[in-house]
Amino acid sequence: MVKRYELSDAQWDRIEALLPGKRGDRGRTGADNRLFVNGVLWVLRSGARWEDLPERYGPWRTGYSRFRRWRRAGLWDRGLTALQAEAAHEGTM
């Protein structure tokens, strides 16, 4: 059962390859990418402050810093564009 605000396995399968930290990528592997994305979704969907992020997602400052780094790198925009292109290709939008 998926917890509130978290990605299902099918949703995660669609975005996992779009995120940094895969084997073969430079730097550390993103073993916690799913946990991090679920934490971001929790903040965005709940409307809570980063400071209120539940402990299960890790330290809020770490999550917020990583969120900002990904935003500055354009990762969120590229991911959304890729998902929109995939949906358009499937004939739905």
Side-chain angles (χ1 to χ4, degrees):
M1 182 171 153
V2 177
K3 292 183 180 179
R4 175 182 262 174
Y5 306 131
E6 294 191 353
L7 296 171
S8 68
D9 289 338
Q11 291 169 323
W12 176 247
D13 289 343
R14 291 183 86 165
I15 68 165
E16 182 179 18
L18 303 173
L19 305 176
K22 298 177 292 301
R23 289 196 191 283
D25 286 354
R26 279 187 14 215
R28 295 179 4 186
T29 58
D32 64 342
N33 272 349
R34 185 173 186 170
L35 184 65
F36 165 66
V37 170
N38 282 333
V40 170
L41 292 174
W42 187 90
V43 169
L44 297 175
R45 290 178 176 176
S46 71
R49 301 175 309 153
W50 277 98
E51 293 89 347
D52 298 326
L53 184 69
E55 289 181 17
R56 71 179 177 264
Y57 298 114
W60 75 266
R61 288 180 195 267
T62 304
Y64 178 66
S65 294
R66 189 171 176 187
F67 173 79
R68 283 187 22 222
R69 278 196 316 271
W70 284 23
R71 185 184 66 211
R72 275 182 279 185
L75 188 86
W76 300 112
D77 292 334
R78 286 194 308 271
L80 180 59
T81 300
L83 291 173
Q84 287 172 333
E86 182 182 310
H89 187 269
E90 293 174 359
T92 61
M93 188 66 174

